[in-house]
Amino acid sequence: MKEDASILVVDDNEDNRYTLKRRLKRMGLKNIVEAENGLEAMKQVELQDFDMILLDIMMPIMDGYEVLKRLRSESRFIHIPIIMISALSDVEDVVKAIDLGADDYLLKPFNPVLLRAKVEASLLKKRLIEVEKNFYRDYDKSTQLAKPDLFLGSLDGEMRNNPDTTFAVYYFKFTTFQQLSHSTGHQDAEKHIKHCVDILKTIFVGEHYFFGRLADDAVAIYSIAKKCRFFTEQLNIEKEVLAPLDDAISISDETIRGVGQIHLGICLTTPKLHNGGQLIANSSFACETAIKEEKKVAYYDKDIHKKTLEKFKLEPKLKQALIENKLVMYYQPIVLGATGEIKTFEALIRWPTANGMISPGEFIPLAEETGLILEIDDYVMTAVCEQVGKWIKQKPKMKFSVGINISARHWADEKLSAKVINLLALYDIPGNYLKLEMTESALVGNIASVRTNFDLLQSHGIQIALDDFGTGYASLSYLLDFPFNVLKVDRVFIVDIETDEQKQKLLPAILQISKSLNMESIIEGVETKEQVDIVNQCNGDLIQGFYFYKPSPVADIDQLDIFK
Ligand code: C2E
Ligand code: CA
Ligand code: CA
């Protein structure tokens, strides 16, 4: 029983009111208001919302019938449960009241068990009506699909939570809806949509597809692209989605045969490019294109679409390459800006194929999206530790370290630190030979595991570098919470710095922050002598860039003077 339910007791007899009130209180109900006639009752309902009314029939000034009539004629009062109170001798009055819209009745003198049961039932009914009302505020009545606001809110939320993932929206438009609605009637048109939705639900199966009714004649589905088998399995949408829809419609329903014209627009995007509203608008635009070009399906941007499909095509190959140990590590020397002396390296992965080298810029984002990145990181960590172990044996006195890129997803995995610490032991390397790189994206969202990994790794002497500094969207305050050893300033701050006065001001400011927080700086992407000079003038520590060294295979690194 909802204890805070409010109940109006209307009776001209004070004893009756008293008895009812006492019994209701005994049931745990606290919020009880009394009225001694109909007019009073009408005043009270204007003042507050009631969950139930107990209403006497015979009263002076305004009787119970009149109250009933007035309440039931207004939509805002239509759902308040009303229980009539009547003397045993006036049972016929009750029948009349029920006709006027009363929900139930109680006879005087009150039977406490019956009173309780009827009050509880009425309150429950009110709750159900409210639940239903709330439900249909968000969901469409005939299809039970989310209404536009809910659909958009849900999509936006998912996009915020998965910033690195590709999202897809399928926008189905029932171009004959209006026509159907005008000819055979709105009901038939609704029936048609409902039927199509039922079919779609047998095609888009699983909780990762979210359906919405975006207009009378439009239904949309969104999904994370990598969880959508139409993309990952490269299925033919026309054959797998639209054909069964057409078939099923014509087979199952005579009345709508031949009028079930459906067009589909598809848009794929990532949260970095578009928000939910734009994604939906673009998919609807694609659908309009399909209609205009008299095609069944159209994609918002064919290039993006093609690229996404190609990307997914690459995944099984990448997996295979990983299993077959085809991925190799290159190492890029990083030098002291002032002297050019090699101080450290960054390990960078390479994927050689028959058609040339595939850039990590291409396959790392894919691996991040599909989750394969965890296995790639494992592979890289092992390969690098093994190599570092070899270099230490080769040159036991040489001081150096190697930076490893660790994906944000891996930083959020509490097993990361144990893995690295095990590798240190396995290859017999002191912690200070390793530097783990993290991007700002690891610091948005749930950072409890990041924190644990960070502290544990640092306590083993491993340095932690903040990579691509300045390109993420995390707030700077994390620099206070996470004492990074190294700050890697992204290449964007260096490109064209020779001529860009803003960058000439920004770089020293960034390096100042780095110094004040006791971080060593690495300036990335330095390609010219002029850039080296500018970095040195700004007191940058280390430089990583093609001006000094490109990433190279181990065989080439072994030829460097420091290894001789
Ligand atoms: P990153 O971590 O920012 O790595 C530095 C990138 O800058 C490397 O690109 C490197 O070759 C490039 N670079 C270095 N000096 C210069 C320069 O002077 N000019 C220009 N234009 N570029 C320079 P790369 O090797 O193509 O890697 C791209 C990104 O892929 C890396 O960016 C990193 O985010 C990711 N990545 C590479 N290897 C791995 C890996 O083993 N594991 C993971 N998780 N990510 C990796
Ligand atoms: Ca890096
Ligand atoms: Ca970087």
Side-chain angles (χ1 to χ4, degrees):
M1 172 101 59
K2 224 173 89 190
E3 286 186 4
D4 56 352
S6 57
I7 294 165
L8 178 62
V9 175
V10 191
D11 199 317
D12 58 327
N13 181 320
E14 199 183 340
D15 286 347
N16 281 346
R17 291 203 305 271
Y18 176 78
T19 312
L20 280 171
K21 197 167 164 179
R22 207 187 45 192
R23 294 217 180 277
L24 292 171
K25 289 221 155 135
R26 222 178 266 171
M27 291 165 65
L29 295 158
K30 298 184 194 104
N31 196 352
I32 296 152
V33 176
E34 297 176 42
E36 58 181 27
N37 61 56
L39 201 61
E40 273 296 308
M42 288 312 295
K43 278 188 197 147
Q44 288 297 338
V45 294
E46 290 294 344
L47 292 176
Q48 79 175 88
D49 291 334
F50 287 99
D51 293 299
M52 188 178 75
I53 300 174
L54 291 166
L55 181 62
D56 186 23
I57 295 179
M58 291 310 167
M59 289 181 293
I61 305 180
M62 187 192 286
D63 65 11
Y65 296 133
E66 185 58 28
V67 174
L68 253 184
K69 262 190 237 161
R70 292 191 183 192
L71 290 179
R72 289 311 187 221
S73 68
E74 278 198 63
S75 65
R76 60 193 170 123
F77 299 132
I78 219 155
H79 291 307
I80 306 178
I82 299 176
I83 301 180
M84 303 310 290
I85 303 166
S86 162
L88 187 56
S89 52
D90 303 323
V91 182
E92 276 154 41
D93 297 341
V94 170
V95 177
K96 186 176 164 194
I98 299 282
D99 278 347
L100 286 172
D103 296 273
D104 208 340
Y105 64 94
L106 278 165
L107 297 178
K108 289 183 267 197
F110 304 114
N111 171 333
V113 177
L114 216 54
L115 172 70
R116 185 183 193 105
K118 292 195 170 189
V119 166
E120 280 178 358
S122 292
L123 288 176
L124 186 66
K125 186 176 153 208
K126 175 81 189 316
R127 287 273 300 281
L128 289 178
I129 288 169
E130 268 164 21
V131 167
E132 192 181 79
K133 218 166 74 194
N134 288 342
F135 181 79
Y136 288 119
R137 203 171 43 212
D138 291 336
Y139 292 89
D140 172 53
K141 255 211 165 89
S142 74
T143 59
Q144 317 261 302
L145 299 185
K147 285 185 181 173
D149 283 351
L150 178 62
F151 187 79
L152 173 62
S154 161
L155 175 57
D156 267 334
E158 282 291 318
M159 288 177 86
R160 261 195 308 279
N161 292 337
N162 299 281
D164 298 316
T165 284
T166 306
F167 280 80
V169 169
Y170 303 81
Y171 193 99
F172 295 89
K173 188 159 172 179
F174 300 79
T175 36
T176 40
F177 182 88
Q178 302 299 350
Q179 191 191 326
L180 196 61
S181 183
H182 290 137
S183 58
T184 73
H186 190 71
Q187 297 258 307
D188 275 345
E190 284 296 326
K191 205 167 116 194
H192 171 46
I193 296 257
K194 173 90 178 68
H195 185 62
C196 292
V197 166
D198 288 345
I199 295 164
L200 284 173
K201 288 203 161 159
T202 65
I203 300 171
F204 294 84
V205 186
E207 59 186 15
H208 47 272
Y209 296 112
F210 193 94
F211 283 66
R213 173 106 185 239
L214 302 196
D216 271 352
D217 59 355
V219 166
I221 303 169
Y222 82 74
S223 154
I224 286 177
K226 72 173 180 216
K227 291 190 178 158
C228 180
R229 63 189 189 94
F230 300 103
F231 298 118
T232 54
E233 293 169 25
Q234 316 262 322
L235 301 179
N236 180 322
I237 303 258
E238 241 174 276
K239 217 169 90 198
E240 303 288 335
V241 180
L242 293 166
L245 212 50
D246 283 347
D247 288 351
I249 290 166
S250 55
I251 292 164
S252 65
D253 200 325
E254 287 291 328
T255 61
I256 54 181
R257 172 176 295 179
V259 293
Q261 284 251 22
I262 298 165
H263 293 271
L264 169 60
I266 300 176
C267 180
L268 289 160
T269 196
T270 67
K272 289 194 177 122
L273 293 176
H274 298 106
N275 62 28
Q278 292 164 326
L279 176 50
I280 294 168
N282 291 348
S283 64
S284 145
F285 179 82
C287 192
E288 294 305 323
T289 313
I291 295 169
K292 213 161 40 206
E293 296 178 0
E294 294 183 1
K295 287 192 296 202
K296 296 243 81 175
V297 47
Y299 300 94
Y300 175 66
D301 181 324
K302 291 197 194 73
D303 286 345
I304 297 183
H305 190 79
K306 217 170 115 208
K307 276 196 198 121
T308 308
L309 287 186
E310 269 161 18
K311 202 169 74 177
F312 284 120
K313 238 188 246 174
L314 209 58
E315 214 232 332
K317 291 186 190 151
L318 179 57
K319 228 177 207 160
Q320 196 61 28
L322 185 63
I323 292 168
E324 292 172 358
N325 267 326
K326 295 260 170 68
L327 302 174
V328 295
M329 298 315 299
Y330 275 36
Y331 294 86
Q332 183 177 24
I334 297 171
V335 305
L336 200 61
T339 62
E341 185 189 346
I342 296 175
K343 286 286 174 190
T344 176
F345 299 85
E346 177 171 6
L348 294 159
I349 198 163
R350 294 290 177 264
W351 181 9
T353 69
N355 302 320
M357 204 66 101
I358 301 179
S359 149
E362 203 171 318
F363 69 84
I364 292 292
L366 166 69
E368 273 168 354
E369 195 165 315
T370 59
L372 194 63
I373 191 68
L374 293 180
E375 287 161 60
I376 292 187
D377 280 355
D378 286 344
Y379 169 81
V380 170
M381 289 189 286
T382 311
V384 172
C385 286
E386 188 180 357
Q387 185 58 50
V388 170
K390 281 184 194 160
W391 279 333
I392 292 176
K393 286 207 181 74
Q394 226 165 293
K395 276 270 181 173
K397 294 227 174 72
M398 185 174 71
K399 277 186 79 181
F400 73 99
S401 61
V402 177
I404 305 178
N405 291 289
I406 304 286
S407 64
R409 213 191 259 247
H410 224 144
W411 279 105
D413 176 356
E414 57 194 15
K415 291 193 284 293
L416 172 70
S417 37
K419 279 185 199 169
V420 178
I421 291 160
N422 283 339
L423 286 169
L424 289 182
L426 184 62
Y427 294 105
D428 196 16
I429 49 184
N432 59 353
Y433 282 79
L434 286 193
K435 185 184 287 161
L436 298 189
E437 300 190 3
M438 179 199 295
T439 55
E440 288 169 27
S441 58
L443 296 167
V444 285
N446 179 16
I447 52 170
S449 301
V450 181
R451 170 97 266 164
T452 315
N453 284 324
F454 193 100
D455 294 345
L456 212 57
L457 290 165
Q458 229 172 24
S459 74
H460 278 75
I462 295 167
Q463 298 176 59
I464 302 180
L466 181 59
D467 200 3
D468 302 344
F469 176 74
T471 61
Y473 32 81
S475 89
L476 277 187
S477 60
Y478 64 77
L479 286 178
L480 301 172
D481 298 334
F482 290 87
F484 288 96
N485 307 89
V486 179
L487 189 75
K488 298 194 73 174
V489 181
D490 193 80
R491 199 169 87 86
V492 294
F493 297 101
I494 296 302
V495 175
D496 296 332
I497 195 169
E498 301 95 321
T499 52
D500 188 330
E501 285 178 16
Q502 301 285 23
K503 289 187 184 173
Q504 286 165 16
K505 287 183 201 148
L506 211 47
L507 183 66
I510 293 172
L511 294 174
Q512 188 56 49
I513 295 178
S514 174
K515 282 239 152 43
S516 352
L517 294 173
N518 290 322
M519 292 182 283
E520 187 175 42
S521 59
I522 296 181
I523 321 320
E524 300 187 294
V526 175
E527 295 181 349
T528 67
K529 174 78 173 68
E530 253 183 303
Q531 292 174 342
V532 175
D533 293 341
I534 293 174
V535 170
N536 285 336
Q537 274 159 28
C538 302
N539 280 318
D541 301 321
L542 302 176
I543 292 182
Q544 174 175 10
F546 296 167
Y547 178 75
F548 290 103
Y549 296 98
K550 289 200 164 149
S552 308
V554 173
D556 292 357
I557 298 291
D558 279 339
Q559 298 305 310
L560 292 170
D561 284 344
I562 54 165
F563 282 106
K564 287 197 183 128

